[in-house]
Amino acid sequence: QVQLVESGGGLVQAGDSLRLSCAGSGRTFSIYGMGWFRQAPGKEREFVATISAGGKATYYADSVNGRFTISRDNANNMVYLQMNSLKPEDTALYYCAKTRGSSGSASWDDYDYRGPGTQVTVSS
């Protein structure tokens, strides 16, 4: 079983940056694709970014492409989400999740574990 714990959220102003971290447990962390999702109050879950097991393939939602960067450090079981030029519409609970295979994915159906999340609030 994999456990995931996010950190790095907070309250920032529009235009600011944040880096979210996701710490994973387990020796097999490095063989799975990982992703970041977010959910704002009253809205459905939204895909944000994903990365393959080896870290070479990434994919982003159109709403964050060019502003957010996903990366991973398999030696330390970490996944990161660097968020730049934050907007009020980025306000949400952000959580990382693990796919069932080595590829990343934009589909929630391909994920089997997630962390509790970290809140990001962007004021205008």
Side-chain angles (χ1 to χ4, degrees), residues 10 24 93:
L93 179 71

Side-chain angles (χ1 to χ4, degrees), residues 1 16 20-21 30 33 38 48 59 82 94 105 107 113 116 118:
Q1 186 171 351
D16 285 351
L20 305 184
S21 300
S30 63
R38 67 187 182 186
V48 176
Y59 180 70
Q82 177 66 44
Y94 285 72
S105 175
S107 172
Y113 287 98
T118 185

Side-chain angles (χ1 to χ4, degrees), residues 19-102:
R19 188 175 84 151
L20 305 184
S21 300
C22 171
S25 65
R27 294 179 299 167
T28 57
F29 177 87
S30 63
I31 70 173
Y32 295 107
M34 297 292 294
W36 285 94
F37 289 79
R38 67 187 182 186
Q39 188 163 18
K43 295 187 177 181
E44 295 195 352
R45 179 192 305 115
E46 178 185 14
F47 163 75
V48 176
T50 188
I51 188 167
S52 61
K56 292 185 178 181
T58 59
Y59 180 70
Y60 300 89
D62 289 343
S63 58
V64 306
N65 196 24
R67 298 188 298 122
F68 291 11
T69 302
I70 188 171
S71 61
R72 66 189 297 163
D73 176 0
N74 284 338
N76 293 294
N77 285 7
M78 297 293 294
V79 178
Y80 303 100
L81 185 68
Q82 177 66 44
M83 306 187 297
N84 298 329
S85 302
L86 282 162
K87 304 175 180 180
E89 51 263 43
D90 293 320
T91 295
L93 179 71
Y94 285 72
Y95 49 91
C96 66
K98 181 191 81 64
T99 70
R100 295 184 178 86
S102 62

